[in-house]
């Protein structure tokens, strides 16, 4: 059974930075795709960033491009989300997602492309 464990959320002020981590365990994949989504109160879950293990292709939501960076540690099967210049509108529960295999580029932003989800970590940006 694949498990995803997120960490790194917290309460920060506008302009601050946070780094989220998501460690995957319990599965054996020749390659995989991992992503971050977020969900604010009263809103639908939205795509934040994705990364394909093979080739290293990345994708970002327009709202975070230039501020957030997704990266990976192959040895640890861990994906990170470095979040800089945080804004109050970044406040949400952030979820890690994984699909065994390569997700086609046009489907990276769709939640339905991912098989496994973490429990989420809260990020609150407020002054």
């Amino acid at each position: 059974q694949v498990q995803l464990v997120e960490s790194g959320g917290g309460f920060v002020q506008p302009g601050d930075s946070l780094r989220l981590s998501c460690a995957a365990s319990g599965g054996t994949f020749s390659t995989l795709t991992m992503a971050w989504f977020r969900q604010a109160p009263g809103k639908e879950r939205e795509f934040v960033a994705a990364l394909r293990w093979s080739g290293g292709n990345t994708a970002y939501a327009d709202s975070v491009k230039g501020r957030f960076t997704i990266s990976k540690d192959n040895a640890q099967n861990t994906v990170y989300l470095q979040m800089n210049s945080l804004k109050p509108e970044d406040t949400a529960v952030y979820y890690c997602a994984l699909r065994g295999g390569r997700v086609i580029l046009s489907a990276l932003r769709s939640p339905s492309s991912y098989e496994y989800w973490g429990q989420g970590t809260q990020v609150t940006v407020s002054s």
Side-chain angles (χ1 to χ4, degrees):
Q1 182 70 20
V2 174
Q3 287 191 317
L4 302 177
V5 178
E6 301 110 329
S7 61
F11 186 103
V12 296
Q13 294 187 332
D16 285 353
S17 298
L18 276 176
R19 189 176 82 154
L20 305 183
S21 301
C22 174
S25 63
T28 303
F29 305 103
S30 58
T31 190
L32 49 85
T33 305
M34 294 186 75
W36 290 96
F37 289 78
R38 67 187 181 187
Q39 188 165 18
K43 295 189 176 182
E44 292 187 354
R45 189 169 298 189
E46 65 171 355
F47 170 78
V48 176
L51 184 149
R52 298 200 306 192
W53 240 243
S54 175
N57 305 90
T58 59
Y60 295 93
D62 288 344
S63 58
V64 307
K65 202 171 293 184
R67 300 189 297 123
F68 290 11
T69 303
I70 189 169
S71 62
K72 62 182 173 74
D73 182 331
N74 286 345
Q76 301 295 325
N77 271 358
T78 298
V79 67
Y80 303 99
L81 186 69
Q82 178 66 43
M83 305 186 295
N84 298 329
S85 302
L86 282 161
K87 305 175 181 180
E89 50 264 42
D90 295 318
T91 295
V93 177
Y94 283 70
Y95 297 91
C96 175
L98 180 151
R99 181 180 182 92
R102 179 183 287 194
V103 175
I104 61 174
L105 292 177
S106 61
L108 284 172
R109 291 168 171 78
S110 172
S112 63
S113 296
Y114 301 90
E115 302 168 284
Y116 305 100
W117 293 83
Q119 293 296 316
T121 185
Q122 176 71 46
V123 172
T124 303
V125 185
S126 176
S127 56

